[in-house]
Every structure is written in structure tokens, then in C-alpha cells.
Amino acid sequence: MVASIAFALVGVRSLREPFLRAAGWALVASEPVAPADVIVLSLDSGGAGALEAADLVQSGISKRVAVFVDPPSLEDREFARRGLLYEDEGQIRQLRSLGVPDVARIPTIEGGSTEGEGQALPPWCDEHQLQSIVFVADKDHSRRVRRVLDRTMKGHSTRVMVQPAHYSNFDPDRWWETRRGVAAELVGLQKLLLDVALHPMSF
């Protein structure tokens, strides 16, 4: 029904672009950021997240960055045994090449889902007695990340500020002009609506 209404509105020229922009921005959570103990990168933020973190470090938000890492698989352990970095080190290499020397690892469950990151973050923050963090996510995932973190961080003292990566490929103002944008919007909207359906009181 939601899709039918959306297509009907898109068919009206005067409503088309404002509606599409609103749909794009529905996926984006953008909040003011302030100095924090650490900048945390979601796995899905990739290189865009590394660039965002480097810029935040340069602007004085924090000197430390943390990344999520999946438990190493058998092949990962074999690469490590041979003295080679396994795939999860990609963001860490990017950060160090961008001049960020202080990078921590946050172990998470296999698969690196947003829910998995949300479960791993509270105990890690408690263990390190963090007062505040900036959490960097892809633009099209940031609204859902905000909802997940609102749930999982409830009852913990760490303040979380969500920052969408500026270098993300998703453009909420023009997403419908490319196949990649359309795919990101559809997948992101489905996941967000599912999260709302499963957790209607998420705050």
C-alpha cells in the first residue's frame, strides 16, 4: 500500500521531487557533533567512514577512532599466520594512511549487521568508561542506526552522536537519478520500515 501511494504521488509532477527528497532524507539522521572520547565507524561506512573520521580528527572532535571487526575466519587466521593482514583490516589501513594513528578494534558478531554493532557497542563503551562517542554511518543507514543505538544504549551513560559520512555515495536530494541511488533508497527504506514495525516505541 505504501509503495502504491508513493508511485501515485511520484506521478504528480508538482509533488514528485519534494516527495522523492523527503523519502531520501527519511533515511538520514544528522545531528550536531561535539568533542567526544572516540569516533566509532560502522562497518558499512567503508572508505567514506574513514574519510569522515579523518576529517573529524583534524577538526578536533577526537584523537581516537574505533572500528568494528568480525571474528576472524579460518582463512583470515591463516593469512594472519603468514604475516598478512586479513580483510577486516581495510578500514584500519585507510585510517592510518589518512594520518590517524590511534585506532581501536571493537569485536562484533560475525556478519557485521547494524544490530550486531548495536549489541557490541554498549559493553565496549562501559569497559572503556566512555562518556561520549561520535558514531559514523553511511547516510542511507544513519536513521536506522540512530534507532538501533537508542535502544541498545538505553541505560548506559555514554552519549552517542550519529554522524552520516559526507562522502557516502547516497545523495538524498538526487538518489532517484542513478541505479545505485534507487537501490540504496529501496533497501534502506525497507529496513527502516521493518525496524519501525518491529520496534514502534524505539527511543
Side-chain angles (χ1 to χ4, degrees):
M1 184 171 61
V2 172
S4 299
I5 294 171
F7 283 118
L9 288 173
V10 169
V12 181
R13 178 170 295 222
S14 62
L15 296 176
R16 183 177 185 272
E17 288 201 5
F19 172 80
L20 293 173
R21 286 194 184 96
W25 282 102
L27 304 183
V28 183
S30 185
E31 306 167 353
V33 296
D37 295 327
V38 65
I39 300 160
V40 177
L41 302 188
S42 67
L43 279 169
D44 63 44
S45 66
L51 289 164
E52 187 73 28
D55 288 350
L56 291 171
V57 169
Q58 286 292 325
S59 65
I61 293 299
S62 180
K63 294 181 179 179
R64 193 178 191 207
V65 178
V67 300
F68 289 97
V69 293
D70 288 330
S73 65
L74 178 61
E75 64 187 69
D76 293 332
R77 290 194 294 271
E78 181 59 22
F79 271 105
R81 189 187 70 79
R82 299 184 187 194
L84 302 171
L85 295 176
Y86 56 86
E87 192 173 332
D88 283 338
E89 300 289 294
Q91 261 187 331
I92 296 174
R93 288 197 303 273
Q94 290 173 335
L95 286 164
R96 288 179 175 156
S97 71
L98 290 165
V100 181
D102 190 356
V103 183
R105 296 168 176 81
I106 306 174
T108 186
I109 61 172
E110 190 173 355
S113 68
T114 300
E115 292 287 347
E117 292 174 350
Q119 293 169 14
L121 192 60
W124 187 81
C125 289
D126 292 345
E127 178 186 352
H128 292 84
Q129 300 180 329
L130 301 176
Q131 297 300 308
S132 60
I133 66 171
V134 174
F135 193 100
V136 176
D138 254 358
K139 283 182 184 176
D140 51 315
H141 295 158
S142 55
R143 180 78 64 189
R144 187 164 60 93
V145 163
R146 174 75 275 172
R147 290 177 55 83
V148 170
L149 295 179
D150 282 345
R151 293 194 299 273
T152 60
M153 297 299 294
K154 191 173 183 179
H156 297 267
S157 60
T158 307
R159 178 190 174 204
V160 180
M161 297 162 276
V162 174
Q163 174 72 9
H166 287 90
Y167 302 98
S168 168
N169 286 316
F170 181 75
D171 182 352
D173 288 319
R174 304 171 70 91
W175 59 266
W176 59 93
E177 295 181 358
T178 66
R179 288 183 180 180
R180 176 183 286 183
V182 171
E185 175 68 25
L186 292 177
V187 171
L189 193 57
Q190 287 174 356
K191 289 182 176 181
L192 180 61
L193 291 175
L194 178 60
D195 188 79
V196 171
L198 294 175
H199 308 281
M201 301 297 291
S202 182
F203 56 85

